[in-house]
Amino acid sequence: LRNYPQVIVPVKIVIIGTANAGKTSLALRLVKDTFQNESLPTVGAMFLNKFFAFDNYTIKFEIWDTAGQEKFHSLANMYFRGSKIAVVVFDLSDTDSFNKAKIWTREFKTNSNPEEPAIMALVGNKCDLNKATPQSEIDAYVEQEGMLYFEASAKENTNVNNIFRTLADKIPAPQ
Ligand code: GDP
Ligand code: MG
């Protein structure tokens, strides 16, 4: 961090979505620039840090990975509380994964403070595969929910850094 501005702005991000969407893969691609074809053990209660330098400050993302198959309610408090950004991931090649993303979006909104609304981003991962959900359906959904939308491939390293840099741009500069 030698060349990063020393005013550090910590920002909690939670990555949610169904199992196999590629949540852990996206986090590991972003932070460690690695990818594995096997299903990955989820980081769980740990988080990964990623730094983005701006002119006078540095955004420090604290990225919380989750295990999608676990019960929503046991996760909700610990993972959602204090999250300034929610990244809802689905597998573009799997319509069920898109439908589960909707449930996760709803669950996050239900459990977060409406007076401090989080930035919400929907990420269609695995854009290296064939798209199963019509784009018009995705567009209508993100419009309705007020979400940003991105496509990515953790496998091919498509758009991953750009997504998180774009999210960092949305965080207000410290006073
Ligand atoms: P998680 O359960 O949401 O954390 O998903 P994982 O990160 O464990 O990934 C699930 C599976 O999808 C693994 O076999 C990954 O190798 C694979 N995967 C993840 N991202 C991509 C991607 O961008 N493209 C393709 N083709 N496979 C991916
Ligand atoms: Mg995982």
Side-chain angles (χ1 to χ4, degrees):
L1 287 178
R2 192 166 292 124
N3 298 317
Y4 284 51
Q6 290 305 298
V7 176
I8 306 288
V9 181
V11 175
K12 181 179 175 183
I13 299 192
V14 65
I15 305 188
I16 54 183
T18 196
N20 207 46
K23 302 179 297 298
T24 303
S25 296
L26 284 168
L28 291 177
R29 172 62 81 188
L30 178 74
V31 174
K32 300 190 196 294
D33 199 12
T34 58
F35 179 79
Q36 291 177 300
N37 277 307
E38 302 78 46
S39 193
L40 297 157
T42 287
V43 176
M46 300 248 304
F47 58 79
L48 296 166
N49 288 330
K50 174 74 180 179
F51 297 86
F52 288 98
F54 290 79
D55 284 349
N56 303 312
Y57 62 99
T58 297
I59 295 281
K60 177 192 185 191
F61 279 157
E62 298 167 352
I63 301 171
W64 291 64
D65 189 18
T66 62
Q69 66 278 23
E70 285 173 18
K71 293 276 186 300
F72 289 135
H73 292 288
S74 61
L75 282 174
N77 281 339
M78 176 180 163
Y79 285 108
F80 296 172
R81 185 177 301 145
S83 294
K84 290 194 174 65
I85 301 177
V87 174
V88 186
V89 180
F90 72 103
D91 176 345
L92 280 165
S93 72
D94 176 358
T95 51
D96 184 58
S97 183
F98 177 65
N99 291 325
K100 295 273 170 48
K102 296 179 180 177
I103 297 172
W104 278 97
T105 299
R106 177 85 8 243
E107 191 68 14
F108 182 84
K109 287 187 173 178
T110 303
N111 284 281
S112 54
N113 180 357
E115 279 163 30
E116 290 174 42
I119 296 164
M120 298 204 61
L122 182 68
V123 174
N125 185 41
K126 311 195 189 183
C127 70
D128 56 290
L129 302 178
N130 287 331
K131 192 181 286 187
T133 305
Q135 189 59 45
S136 56
E137 202 178 311
I138 299 170
D139 290 345
Y141 180 70
V142 296
E143 168 85 33
Q144 171 199 305
E145 296 294 327
M147 299 172 89
L148 300 164
Y149 178 65
F150 304 96
E151 294 186 353
S153 169
K155 182 173 186 173
E156 297 188 342
N157 196 13
T158 305
N159 212 20
V160 179
N161 203 77
N162 176 55
I163 290 169
F164 287 88
R165 175 77 206 191
T166 303
L167 293 171
D169 288 342
K170 305 270 177 204
I171 300 293
Q175 296 308 303

